[in-house]
Amino acid sequence: MEYAIAVERLSKDFRTYKTEHGKKVFLASLRRKYYMKKALRNVSFVVKKGEIVMLLGENGSGKSTLIKTLVGILHPDSGEVRVLGMDPWKERIKIAWNYGMVSGAHGTLFNDLPAIDTFEYVRDLYEIPRPEFRKRLAYFIRILNLKDVYKKQVRTMSMGERMKCNFIASVLHLPKVVFMDEATIGMDLPSVINLREAILDMQKKYSTTFFMTTHIVDEVKALARRVIIIDRGRVVFDGNKTELLGLYGNKKYFEISFSKQPKIRLGRYGKVVSRGKGYVKLEIDPHIIRTHKINTLLNDRHVLDYNISDPDLSSVLVRFYKTKRKVV
Amino acid sequence: MKEYAIGFGINRYLSYSRLLIKSSFAYKTDFAIKLLLRIANPIIMLFVWTAIYSATHTSAINNFSLYQISIYFFIIAVVNSVAPSVSWAMAGDVRSGGVFTSLTRPIRYVSNVFTADATGMLVDTLTLGLPIFILLYFFLHLNLTLLSASLFLLSMGMMYAIAMMIEFLLGFFSFFTTDIGGIINMAYFIISFFGGGFVPLNLLPPSIAHISSVLPFQFMIYFPASILTGAVSPSQLFSMFPLAALWFVALLAANFVIWSRVRRHIDAVGV
C-alpha cells in the first residue's frame, strides 16, 4: 500500500545556543555557547492516504522540526522520509505541487490587498484553470462562511477571517496532503468550527490527508481518530484516541455535590482528584458502579447531585506529558 | 490537476509581480513622501556645492563645473530609486517567516526575491526615477542625445546587475545573524564612499580614487551618474566593461557558494 507519509528511523540534530537572561545577556551575546540539540530521534510512523493525524507534544518537543522535514525544508541526518512516495529534500519543488502548508505563525496573504488577490495569485501559481478555480473558491467560501469577506482588505479582517482565508490560499490547489501547524491560534469558536467542517469535508470529498499539530484538545476530539505524541524528539505514543484515553486504566470520574461532608470515607470508593467547598471529584473503577457499591454514598442525605463521566482528553494529556510515558 | 511542473514557470513569477504592483499602490501618499525625500538630497548638495564654488571663486574643480555636479547628484537620486534592495527584503523575510512560506510553495526563493525586487524597481522607476529625470531635463536643461541616453541606460543595466549581486550577498547574512541592519548600513556607507556617492570619484584624493578604480562600487554610482554630465566618455565606459564583467562573474560565483552554505545553515539551525 502506498502511504501519504512514511517516516523511517528519522533523526535530526540542531546546532543551537544557550540564551541567557538578566546581566548575562550582554556577555552571552558576545560569546555564544553552542550545543547540539537532538530535535528528532528515531522517529518512525506511516500515515495512510485520507487519514487525519494529530501530532501532539509540548513546546520544543520537535513537532515543527518534523513538519519542516516532511516538507523538505530540513534534511534528515539519518533515516528516510517519503511524502507521496517522494523524497521531500531532493524533490522540494516537485512535491510542493501536491501538499498544502497552513501555519498559524506564517501567513500567506498579502495584507494590503483583498484576499481574492492572493487567491488569484495561488490560481496562477498552481496553474488552476479559471472555471475550476471559480468552482473551488465558491466551495471554500460557502463551507467556511466567508461570503463577501474575501473581498475585504486582509488588514481589516478579524483573526478568524484571516486564518480561514489563509487556509483557502493553502488548499485551493486541492493538495493530496495538508500540513497544519497550529493553524487555529487566536481563532474565535465559530471560525474554528467552520474550519473543522471544511477539513472533514475535504477529507470526505477529496480523500485529503491531514497531518496537524495543535495544543487545542477540542480540535483533537473533533477531528482526529489517530494521535501521535512526540516528546524530546521521540514518538512516545502512536495510536487512536480511545487507546490514549484508556492509557491510565479504565477509569471513570465521579463528581458529587453535597450540602455537608458525608460521614462515609470517600477514599474507599476511589482516588480523590480534586476537592472544593461542597464538591469532590473521585477517580473510580467502573466496577464500583456496576456492583452498586456506590449506592451507599448516593443514598447519603447530604448528597445533592452527582455526575459520572469518562476521563477527559486534556487530563489524560497533562498526565501523559508529566509522566513522559513511552508506549510505542 | 497537473501533477508536476518542471518548466521554468515564468507565469508564476509574473503573477507574483502583478500582485506586488497592486500591493505597492495600496498607499499612494507613500510615493509622494518618497519622491520628496529623493529630491531633498540633491537639492541640499546643490546648496553645499554652490557655496563651495562661490567661496573658491572657481568655475571648475578637477574639470567638474557646478552645473555638472548638480546633474551628478540628481542622477544619483535616479540611480538610488532604481537600485535593488533585496538585502532588506531578505532580512524582513527571515524575521517574518516569509522564507518558510516561500519554501513551501513550488517556487525558488531566490527567484521570488528577485521578482519582488525587479517589480519594485519597475514601480520606483516610474514613480520616482522618471519624475526626477523629467525635472532634471526641464529645469536643469539636461543635454540628452541618443548616444548619451543609450550609454546611460547601459550603465544603469551594469549598475543593477552588480548591485543585485552585492545585495544578495548582504541579504544572505540575515540567515546567519538576527539583525543585519547595521551590516547593510555599513556596506551602503562603503559603497557610497568608494562608489562616488558623497563626492565624484575624480574629486577624491588620488590614493582613494585609485582604490576605487579597481572596486565594483564605481559601477553602482559613479559611472551611471557621470555619463550624462559628460565627465565620462563613451570610450572610457567601454574600457571599463571587462572589469565590470569580471566583478559580476566573481560576485555571481560568490553568491552560488554562499547560497549553498545558507541552505546548509538553514538545515543546521532551522529557519
Side-chain angles (χ1 to χ4, degrees):
Chain A
M1 183 192 184
E2 202 186 326
Y3 295 108
I5 304 167
V7 178
E8 181 72 36
R9 302 179 69 80
L10 165 67
S11 292
K12 175 80 193 163
D13 288 354
F14 266 143
R15 197 167 75 99
T16 187
Y17 58 86
K18 201 179 159 195
T19 46
E20 295 287 355
H21 58 89
K23 289 174 189 168
K24 289 179 182 170
V25 170
F26 178 69
L27 285 174
S29 67
L30 291 175
R31 210 177 126 190
R32 282 175 174 168
K33 286 178 189 164
Y34 284 92
Y35 67 96
M36 293 307 286
K37 186 187 172 190
K38 291 193 181 300
L40 297 171
R41 292 189 271 189
N42 264 330
V43 172
S44 298
F45 63 86
V46 288
V47 177
K48 283 184 238 161
K49 283 183 178 172
E51 216 180 346
I52 298 180
V53 176
M54 283 285 174
L55 178 68
L56 307 180
E58 291 175 279
N59 291 329
S61 57
K63 300 186 298 292
S64 296
T65 305
L66 179 57
I67 288 196
K68 281 174 188 169
T69 314
L70 293 176
V71 298
I73 293 176
L74 301 180
H75 181 256
D77 289 343
S78 63
E80 207 180 343
V81 177
R82 285 279 180 276
V83 175
L84 298 165
M86 288 180 268
D87 180 334
W89 175 259
K90 285 184 185 156
E91 300 174 277
R92 186 187 68 78
I93 291 189
K94 207 167 160 184
I95 211 167
W97 285 87
N98 292 291
Y99 76 78
M101 177 78 221
V102 192
S103 169
H106 309 297
T108 53
L109 303 168
F110 279 71
N111 284 334
D112 297 329
L113 298 172
I116 182 71
D117 286 309
T118 307
F119 299 157
E120 283 169 356
Y121 164 58
V122 171
R123 176 197 66 201
D124 296 341
L125 183 65
Y126 291 96
E127 299 171 13
I128 306 167
R130 278 167 197 258
E132 183 60 30
F133 167 75
R134 281 194 289 272
K135 214 170 98 186
R136 289 181 197 179
L137 188 60
Y139 162 71
F140 284 115
I141 296 297
R142 180 179 52 78
I143 203 157
L144 286 164
N145 196 21
L146 280 170
K147 200 181 171 210
D148 297 331
V149 173
Y150 68 101
K151 291 174 188 164
K152 268 180 19 182
Q153 192 188 33
V154 173
R155 199 179 286 284
T156 63
M157 286 180 182
S158 71
M159 180 66 114
E161 290 168 344
R162 207 178 299 180
M163 296 299 254
K164 286 194 283 186
C165 287
N166 194 31
F167 177 79
I168 296 179
S170 304
V171 299
L172 256 175
H173 58 297
L174 295 182
K176 290 168 185 158
V177 179
V178 177
F179 295 101
M180 295 181 72
D181 194 6
E182 293 176 35
T184 53
I185 288 176
M187 282 174 83
D188 57 289
L189 194 59
S191 300
V192 170
I193 290 167
N194 284 157
L195 195 62
R196 283 179 199 161
E197 282 167 359
I199 291 167
L200 292 170
D201 201 72
M202 273 184 81
Q203 185 211 21
K204 200 171 142 193
K205 206 168 171 184
Y206 302 107
S207 299
T208 313
T209 308
F210 284 89
F211 191 77
M212 315 166 69
T213 75
T214 188
H215 290 292
I216 302 162
V217 174
D218 277 352
E219 218 157 275
V220 185
K221 281 186 199 164
L223 291 172
R225 194 185 284 175
R226 183 171 160 209
V227 170
I228 296 177
I229 303 179
I230 191 166
D231 175 48
R232 283 171 290 178
R234 281 183 204 280
V235 172
V236 289
F237 178 85
D238 185 353
N240 63 41
K241 255 184 317 192
T242 325
E243 282 175 301
L244 183 63
L245 288 168
L247 210 57
Y248 296 99
N250 189 16
K251 303 277 184 189
K252 295 230 180 251
Y253 285 112
F254 184 59
E255 292 167 280
I256 328 156
S257 306
F258 43 80
S259 54
K260 197 180 164 193
Q261 174 81 34
K263 285 183 181 151
I264 309 161
R265 198 169 57 84
L266 293 169
R268 56 186 275 219
Y269 296 101
K271 189 180 158 196
V272 177
V273 286
S274 64
R275 189 192 283 273
K277 197 180 173 192
Y279 165 83
V280 73
K281 186 177 180 182
L282 299 165
E283 190 184 82
I284 57 169
D285 275 324
H287 83 272
I288 290 180
I289 305 164
R290 283 197 297 270
T291 55
H292 305 288
K293 277 186 185 170
I294 205 91
N295 288 355
T296 329
L297 176 63
L298 295 179
N299 289 335
D300 191 294
R301 63 192 171 94
H302 299 301
V303 171
L304 300 173
D305 198 6
Y306 69 94
N307 180 43
I308 301 167
S309 61
D310 286 321
D312 112 276
L313 192 55
S314 48
S315 57
V316 172
L317 282 173
V318 168
R319 198 161 161 186
F320 193 89
Y321 289 158
K322 270 185 191 165
T323 54
K324 312 279 187 205
R325 186 170 155 183
K326 172 143 173 96
V327 290
V328 292
Chain B
M1 192 180 97
K2 186 172 175 152
E3 286 287 305
Y4 320 118
I6 311 290
F8 186 49
I10 190 86
N11 285 337
R12 302 205 290 275
Y13 298 102
L14 286 177
S15 176
Y16 181 51
S17 181
R18 277 198 297 274
L19 193 66
L20 290 167
I21 291 172
K22 269 191 198 177
S23 187
S24 35
F25 283 99
Y27 300 102
K28 292 167 196 76
T29 44
D30 193 43
F31 286 115
I33 295 165
K34 268 193 198 168
L35 187 61
L36 279 174
L37 286 172
R38 283 267 183 262
I39 298 171
N41 193 50
I43 289 175
I44 292 165
M45 293 311 268
L46 189 63
F47 289 142
V48 171
W49 285 92
T50 305
I52 293 169
Y53 275 86
S54 55
T56 51
H57 304 289
T58 179
S59 61
I61 303 171
N62 273 12
N63 296 325
F64 243 78
S65 66
L66 178 62
Y67 174 73
Q68 281 175 309
I69 217 144
S70 312
I71 302 273
Y72 183 84
F73 283 107
F74 271 97
I75 298 287
I76 286 180
V78 176
V79 171
N80 286 337
S81 305
V82 178
S85 56
V86 293
S87 55
W88 290 109
M90 287 166 83
D93 275 351
V94 172
R95 276 177 169 264
S96 69
V99 182
F100 177 79
T101 307
S102 289
L103 292 175
T104 57
R105 298 283 204 193
I107 43 171
R108 298 192 183 281
Y109 175 68
V110 170
S111 309
N112 220 40
V113 171
F114 175 77
T115 305
D117 196 83
T119 306
M121 184 264 282
L122 195 74
V123 172
D124 285 353
T125 303
L126 292 173
T127 58
L128 303 171
L130 207 59
I132 299 171
F133 208 85
I134 291 167
L135 208 72
L136 194 65
Y137 187 77
F138 286 105
F139 291 95
L140 286 175
H141 309 291
L142 182 73
N143 183 22
L144 205 60
T145 63
L146 187 65
L147 178 70
S148 65
S150 312
L151 288 173
F152 174 67
L153 288 176
L154 194 70
S155 65
M156 287 294 272
M158 219 154 75
M159 174 281 290
Y160 193 76
I162 289 176
M164 181 62 85
M165 293 299 110
I166 290 175
E167 282 282 333
F168 264 117
L169 282 179
L170 286 172
F172 289 149
F173 267 107
S174 55
F175 288 90
F176 299 99
T177 182
T178 324
D179 193 347
I180 62 157
I183 295 172
I184 298 176
N185 282 325
M186 192 176 78
Y188 283 179
F189 176 82
I190 294 168
I191 292 167
S192 280
F193 184 76
F194 287 107
F198 298 129
V199 282
L201 292 182
N202 54 346
L203 300 189
L204 284 173
S207 55
I208 295 172
H210 182 69
I211 296 168
S212 247
S213 68
V214 290
L215 294 174
F217 313 131
Q218 56 186 322
F219 304 111
M220 293 163 69
I221 304 169
Y222 180 70
F223 273 92
S226 302
I227 290 284
L228 296 180
T229 65
V232 172
S233 65
S235 58
Q236 243 181 311
L237 182 73
F238 287 124
S239 69
M240 295 306 280
F241 265 129
L243 182 65
L246 197 71
W247 269 114
F248 177 75
V249 173
L251 290 165
L252 185 67
N255 268 295
F256 273 109
V257 173
I258 307 282
W259 175 238
S260 68
R261 279 182 178 246
V262 168
R263 282 305 307 265
R264 281 209 296 275
H265 183 78
I266 290 173
D267 189 41
V269 302
V271 61

